[in-house]
């Protein structure tokens, strides 16, 4: 099974606040039969730059993958780094694919 939208990466958006929460979420995903996960952290150009977002996301991913159990208790996942784009009231639209940020999901805040 595949989870195409989650906020499991630690301390990057409104999802998991630390790696211990991320690990508990992954344990739940694994118990539910999920084996493929697209990490869809929020990106918004009013909060950060693309470069800063990519660096923070990479650091969160490294932190999480370093904390994963190994050996017989290891969970066998396939991960994909993605992002959500927020479209706020001013309707700023950015094509981030052109700078190499893969898109999986799009959400819009209520006005």
């Amino acid at each position: 099974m595949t989870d195409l939208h989650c906020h499991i990466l630690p301390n990057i958006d409104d999802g998991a606040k630390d790696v211990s929460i991320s690990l508990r979420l992954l344990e739940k995903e694994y118990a539910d039969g999920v084996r493929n996960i697209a990490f869809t952290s929020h990106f918004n150009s009013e909060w950060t730059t693309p470069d800063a977002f990519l660096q923070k996301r990479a650091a969160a991913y490294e932190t999480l993958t370093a904390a994963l159990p190994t050996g017989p208790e290891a969970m066998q996942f396939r991960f994909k780094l993605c992002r959500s784009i927020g479209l706020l009231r001013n309707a700023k639209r950015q094509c981030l694919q052109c700078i190499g940020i893969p898109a999986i999901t799009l959400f819009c805040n209520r006005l």
Side-chain angles (χ1 to χ4, degrees), residues 6-13 22 37-44 48-66 79-85 96-97 99-105:
C6 71
H7 298 275
I8 293 177
L9 289 179
N11 197 30
I12 190 168
D13 57 16
S22 297
I37 296 179
F39 294 121
T40 50
S41 304
H42 291 159
F43 172 81
N44 186 299
T48 189
T49 66
D51 286 339
F53 169 79
L54 291 172
Q55 289 173 3
K56 187 173 183 180
R57 185 183 67 177
Y61 181 76
E62 284 183 36
T63 298
L64 178 58
T65 55
F79 297 132
K80 178 73 175 170
L81 290 173
C82 304
R83 55 88 182 101
S84 296
I85 300 176
L96 296 178
Q97 288 177 315
I99 59 169
I101 302 176
I104 282 289
T105 187

Side-chain angles (χ1 to χ4, degrees), residues 17 78 86 93:
K17 296 303 175 202
R78 289 188 348 196
R93 294 179 184 249

Side-chain angles (χ1 to χ4, degrees), residues 85-102:
I85 300 176
L87 299 177
L88 300 177
R89 289 183 192 158
N90 63 9
K92 280 187 180 178
R93 294 179 184 249
Q94 296 188 354
C95 174
L96 296 178
Q97 288 177 315
C98 62
I99 59 169
I101 302 176

